[in-house]
């Protein structure tokens, strides 16, 4: 599976992933002490929804397009607010002309004492990212294989923060890299928050990944799964997953409110569902379907 950001910016997977990212950052902001966000596969940071890539798939229309047009109740709107504010800030003239990737979203939510480290391997993408953040003293863009971030980049000097791991799944073995990366990172920085994205396409691979994570030795792992359609005969991106290590104590409660709302707006076929499951640390699971 090739999941280059430009083709899928703003789709349902981005919406779910970025809503969770925003909630994690908002939690870290509860304390005055600075923190760092490390984005290991940052992409180009800002996506033109009129570009050839975005128009080829049109996936953003079924993602952020639906959310922006949909209705949220008061509680849902408060929780989704930081994410939606970042999207609106990227479109100052209104409408949806552009979509903020994870580094730009994170940067929008940071305070003056917080820092962002954005890593990107592809030279052209890294160059565009450097232009986007030129002159920003709170952001450091590094042209580097994101998998190397689990070594020398951890722990950050702030000793607080989160690591977003959002690989493009261009190569074989990405599930194994996620697992090995988390193990290595946790040994170096057991107090960090880690958010690991994965596609729900190969159901057997996803099930094996979850089993392996449960045995990884990380005390608290919350698995977030969100499907827009049930499994089909031909493999396709039916859903999105995000595993959060060391999740904030409020995250599960917030997602029990947000996930049903997002699912109501983004689901495409009946029989698809969402779930919250503790792979380690807790025992209560929540599920929903339509």
């Amino acid at each position: 599976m090739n999941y280059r950001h430009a083709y899928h910016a703003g789709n349902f997977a981005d919406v779910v992933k970025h809503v969770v990212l925003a909630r994690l950052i908002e939690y870290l902001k509860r304390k005055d002490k600075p923190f760092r966000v490390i984005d290991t596969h940052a992409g180009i940071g800002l996506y033109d929804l009129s570009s050839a890539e975005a128009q080829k798939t049109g996936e953003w229309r079924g993602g952020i397009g639906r959310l922006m047009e949909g209705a949220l109740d008061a509680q849902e709107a408060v929780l989704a607010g930081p994410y939606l504010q970042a999207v609106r800030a990227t479109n100052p003239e209104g409408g949806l002309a552009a979509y903020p990737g994870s580094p730009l979203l994170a940067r929008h939510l940071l305070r003056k004492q917080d820092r962002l480290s954005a890593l990107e391997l592809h030279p052209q993408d890294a160059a565009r990212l450097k232009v986007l953040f030129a002159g920003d003293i709170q952001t450091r863009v590094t042209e580097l294989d994101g998998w190397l971030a689990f070594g020398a980049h951890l722990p950050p000097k702030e000793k607080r923060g989160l690591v977003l791991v959002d690989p493009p799944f261009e190569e074989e073995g990405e599930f194994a890299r996620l697992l090995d990366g988390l193990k290595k990172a946790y040994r170096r920085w057991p107090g960090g928050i880690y958010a690991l994205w994965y596609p729900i396409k190969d159901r057997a691979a996803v099930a094996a990944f979850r089993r392996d994570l449960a045995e990884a030795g990380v005390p608290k792992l919350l698995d977030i799964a969100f499907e827009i359609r049930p499994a089909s005969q031909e493999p396709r991106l039916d859903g999105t997953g995000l595993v959060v290590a060391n999740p904030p104590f409020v995250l599960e409660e917030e997602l029990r409110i947000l996930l049903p709302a997002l699912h109501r707006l983004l689901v495409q076929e009946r029989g698809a569902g969402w779930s919250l499951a503790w792979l380690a640390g807790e025992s209560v699971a929540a599920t929903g379907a339509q």
Side-chain angles (χ1 to χ4, degrees):
M1 175 182 179
N2 185 319
Y3 196 90
R4 290 298 300 276
H5 290 83
Y7 290 93
H8 311 284
N11 73 351
F12 78 94
D14 264 1
V15 169
V16 175
K17 172 175 54 187
H18 291 159
V19 164
V20 176
L21 174 62
R23 296 316 309 163
L24 293 174
I25 293 174
E26 289 302 297
Y27 173 78
L28 288 167
K29 289 161 64 175
R30 291 187 175 193
K31 293 184 178 180
D32 291 334
K33 293 182 179 179
F35 62 84
R36 183 178 297 264
V37 175
I38 300 174
D39 192 336
T40 64
H41 297 75
I44 61 175
L46 178 63
Y47 298 91
D48 179 1
L49 296 180
S50 67
S51 69
E53 294 90 348
Q55 289 296 313
K56 181 177 180 180
T57 63
E59 291 183 10
W60 64 272
R61 295 185 177 89
I64 187 58
R66 285 193 182 185
L67 180 57
M68 294 290 280
E69 294 176 356
L72 298 173
D73 69 23
Q75 195 174 26
E76 296 162 356
V78 168
L79 292 175
Y83 165 67
L84 292 175
Q85 289 166 14
V87 175
R88 293 188 181 103
T90 309
N91 296 275
E93 297 181 0
L96 271 174
Y99 184 80
S102 51
L104 190 58
L105 170 66
R107 180 64 185 90
H108 176 80
L109 298 175
L110 298 186
R111 306 162 301 180
K112 63 180 181 180
Q113 66 266 44
D114 307 319
R115 297 292 182 269
L116 168 66
S117 293
L119 284 62
E120 176 53 47
L121 175 61
H122 295 275
Q124 292 181 336
D125 290 357
R128 293 180 65 177
L129 197 61
K130 289 179 180 179
V131 171
L132 181 64
F133 289 110
D136 184 351
I137 62 173
Q138 290 181 240
T139 300
R140 181 177 181 181
V141 177
T142 305
E143 184 181 328
L144 183 71
D145 185 346
W147 298 112
L148 299 178
F150 302 118
H153 283 71
L154 297 179
K157 65 179 183 179
E158 293 85 359
K159 308 301 183 188
R160 297 183 66 233
L162 70 93
V163 180
L164 174 65
V165 189
D166 182 17
F169 277 77
E170 293 178 312
E171 302 175 5
E172 295 290 335
E174 296 286 56
F175 282 112
R177 291 187 186 93
L178 281 173
L179 179 65
D180 292 342
L182 177 61
K183 289 179 179 178
K184 182 176 182 180
Y186 188 79
R187 287 194 297 268
R188 293 186 62 90
W189 188 29
I193 299 172
Y194 301 90
L196 284 63
W197 179 82
Y198 64 89
I200 298 178
K201 184 177 182 181
D202 183 336
R203 303 304 175 107
V206 169
F209 176 56
R210 290 170 176 159
R211 289 193 298 269
D212 291 342
L213 279 170
E215 300 174 357
V218 179
K220 289 190 176 183
L221 289 170
L222 180 63
D223 180 60
I224 304 155
F226 187 99
E227 299 177 350
I228 58 170
R229 52 183 167 250
S232 55
Q233 293 295 325
E234 296 182 4
R236 57 180 179 172
L237 186 67
D238 298 318
T240 182
L242 195 70
V243 174
V244 181
N246 294 331
F249 71 97
V250 296
L251 184 63
E252 181 182 7
E253 180 181 351
E254 292 178 347
L255 292 180
R256 286 176 184 263
I257 297 169
L258 280 169
L259 290 180
L262 295 177
H263 202 256
R264 182 180 71 243
L265 296 173
L266 304 183
V267 67
Q268 293 183 8
E269 298 179 14
R270 295 189 65 84
W274 60 268
S275 67
L276 284 172
W278 288 92
L279 303 179
E282 299 288 346
S283 59
V284 179
T287 61
Q290 184 167 340

